[in-house]
Each structure stands twice: as C-alpha cells, then as structure tokens.
DNA sequence: AACAGAATCAACCGCACTCTG
DNA sequence: CCAGAGTGCGGTTGATTCTGT
C-alpha cells in the first residue's frame, strides 16, 4: 500500500540544523519528553519533519551521547557484534555506551571496513578474504541461540552450512518464549535474570549456543552490579568468535557490562508499561 | 596559495514493522 | 482481520573538512 508522507514537506526546513532549532528541540523534550515525533515539530515551533527531529535528537542532541573517537575496545566490540548480527546497527549501538546506530554505521563504513580488509578479513562475512576459494564442503554448522530479553525471546541461528557465499544465515526465531523475563519491567539485559550461556548440542555437526545477547543502552559503570558485569562478561567471553577474529575480551566485556533499562533503549510498544525509572539524571524522559 | 580527490559524518529517504481503531 | 498511522531502521546522499600535490 502506498504511504502518506511522514509530514507536510512543503513548509519544512531541510539540511543542517541551526543552534536555535537545536535549542527549541532540547527545550521541548526537556519539558515534555520524547515521543509523538509527528506532532512534536509543530508543538515545539519547529519547521522540521518529525523524523528529522527524532534523528537530530537521537544522533546528536541526546545528553548521554559520547562524542569523540572510538576506542580500540569499541572497535573490536563492533567487529565482534557485527560478525554475529550483521548490519543491525541499532542493536550494536545498544551495546556501546553513548554511541548511536548512525555513528557506528558511519564508522563501520569509513574505518572498520578498511581495517578488516587490511587484516585480510572480509567485512561482510568476517571470514578470510581468500575464504571463497576454500572448499565449501566444510560441513560444520554453528547454531547460536540468543535469548534477547525484549518483549519476546528470540533464537538466532547462524548457519554456515550450505551457504554459497560463506555468509552465515542469521535466523531469528520469534516463537521461543521467555519465562523469566517480565515484560512489564524495564530490566537491564544483563541482570541476574539472564541465564548463563548454554551450549545445546543439536546434532553431531551442530552446536547451539545461548548468546544472552540483550539489548540495552549503557549506564554508568557505577550502576552495574558485579552480577551484571559477570553475566555480560560471560556473554562475550564464551561466544564463539568468528573463525578469524582474535579479539581482546576484557575491554569489550567491560563495555558490554554497561547496560541499562530497556525502556530507555527500545521502549515498550504499548507505551503504557514502564518501570518508572526512565527519567535520567538530566531530567529527560525516555519512551515510556 | 590553489586545486583536486579522498574522507568524514549529519541528514534524508523509503521500506518495514508495530500499534490502534 | 484489515487498513492506516506512527515509528524505527538501514542504506544512501551530499555538504564539509582534510590531505596531498
């Protein structure tokens, strides 16, 4: 079906944001919180499309954004997560404190791709560049099961078997249900509720690994319990890396340990369920 | 100093998904 | 169950900045 434009484009500004526009947007969100992006521009007195406001806020104006260069640990974490998730920039961004999907995507395209290529690694498949020449008769199939504590639990399977271009198929199974995750609570993805990573043999040639990949924005480290840190570390330390990735884990695990309320990061679809802790120290509300 | 090409990154576009009536 | 509205995401574009000649 055709879609109506997201907003009236005839009288909307485009291009770079001015300081005044930024301030209007900040002031409005400070007062009213995020959400209702479609009506926000009018309410805030901005001649901008709602989507543009959302992008500007999420990618640039959010107070918890970390600006500046990516660290080596962040680099490696991005590579590792990309090898597991592909171009799921928003999910990857959820694991990197203060980074946005757009920022990571740009960084990937401008830096990491080249970095991997210089290492002789295909940035798409995370396999050696000459892997295509290697026999595809390798029958080993790795099936990773990831429990994502969002509204549903999902299984992600990476199937290398019978894949012509050597790219793992990531299969997300929405049918799996989570008995432990309470949808009405905004739990960090790495709380004690998460189960330890489990390896589930499926057949002689298949191994199912529970990755415990959760989605969440980072919090400050001083909010992270040791249990959370441990759980996160377990995730990274136990996940089978792609065949070619040799990555220092300690720093990456530290990064992943910085997770936060899911309301903050992804919001609840119903909009009525909230942990009540979604106001941060700067006074901004998130999604709920 | 001037120019060209490369690199970077903010912003846009359109599709897909979810929610709601 | 269906259609439309609202929102989020990933790919792409284009303006700006950087670097080399």
């Amino acid at each position: 079906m055709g879609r109506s434009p997201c907003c009236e484009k005839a009288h909307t500004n485009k291009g770079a944001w001015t300081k005044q526009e930024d301030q209007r947007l900040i002031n409005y969100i400070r007062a009213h919180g995020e959400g209702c992006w479609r009506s926000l521009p009018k309410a805030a007195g901005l001649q901008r499309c709602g989507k543009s406001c959302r992008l500007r806020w999420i990618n640039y104006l959010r107070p918890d954004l970390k600006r500046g260069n990516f660290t080596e640990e962040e680099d490696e974490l991005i590579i590792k997560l990309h090898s597991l998730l592909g171009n799921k920039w928003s999910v990857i961004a959820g694991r990197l404190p203060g980074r946005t999907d757009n920022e990571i995507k740009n960084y990937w395209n401008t830096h990491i791709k080249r970095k991997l290529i210089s290492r002789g690694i295909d940035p798409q498949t995370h396999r050696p560049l000459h892997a295509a020449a290697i026999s595809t008769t390798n029958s080993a199939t790795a099936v990773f099961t990831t429990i994502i504590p969002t509204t549903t639990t999902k299984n992600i399977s990476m199937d290398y078997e019978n894949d012509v271009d050597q790219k793992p198929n990531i299969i997300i199974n929405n049918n799996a249900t989570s008995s432990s995750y309470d949808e009405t609570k905004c739990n960090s993805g790495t709380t004690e509720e998460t189960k330890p990573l489990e390896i589930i043999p499926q057949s002689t040639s298949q191994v199912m690994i529970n990755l415990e990949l959760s989605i969440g924005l980072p919090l400050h480290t001083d909010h992270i319990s040791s249990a959370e840190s441990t759980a996160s570390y377990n995730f990274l330390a136990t996940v089978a890396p792609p065949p070619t990735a040799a990555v220092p884990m300690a720093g990456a695990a530290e990064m992943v340990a910085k997770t936060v309320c899911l309301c903050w990061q992804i919001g609840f679809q119903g909009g009525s369920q909230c942990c009540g802790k979604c106001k941060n120290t700067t006074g901004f509300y998130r999604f709920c």
Side-chain angles (χ1 to χ4, degrees), chain A residues 226 242 282:
Chain A
S226 60
T282 61

Side-chain angles (χ1 to χ4, degrees), chain A residues 5-20:
Chain A
C6 70
C7 50
E8 176 54 60
K9 296 190 176 184
H11 304 290
T12 55
N13 293 338
K14 289 176 78 171
W17 280 64
T18 64
K19 280 197 164 64
Q20 288 82 3

